[in-house]
Amino acid sequence: MILAADVSAKTEKEIRFHADAEGKEVVKAEFAMDDVRDAIGKRAGVLLVNDEGLFGSIKKQIDKT
């Protein structure tokens, strides 16, 4: 899962709790929810990427910044 930089602390805590329970990785990005809206047309703070290869590529780009 990918979290936007401005996601609320409560949302981040809940997402991390459930991701840990499922053994899934959570990455917090530097982009904001408005940046997500500009990119995909929907304002969102949590992005779920099911494809491991795509997630790895996105994570690599996030880690570069």
Side-chain angles (χ1 to χ4, degrees):
M1 289 182 218
I2 302 169
L3 301 178
D6 57 344
V7 73
S8 74
K10 181 182 178 199
T11 298
E12 182 173 356
K13 180 181 175 184
E14 287 290 321
I15 292 299
R16 289 190 183 277
F17 173 80
H18 291 289
D20 286 345
E22 295 293 322
K24 301 296 181 184
E25 186 175 4
V26 177
V27 177
K28 191 156 186 183
E30 292 186 20
F31 54 77
M33 289 189 276
D34 288 337
D35 297 326
V36 175
R37 182 193 63 221
D38 293 343
I40 66 172
K42 176 101 175 147
R43 191 170 190 267
V46 179
L47 303 168
L48 175 62
V49 181
N50 286 325
D51 185 278
E52 290 183 29
L54 178 59
F55 179 76
S57 295
I58 294 170
K59 182 179 180 290
K60 191 183 296 185
Q61 290 300 314
I62 290 171
D63 290 342
K64 284 183 181 179
T65 58

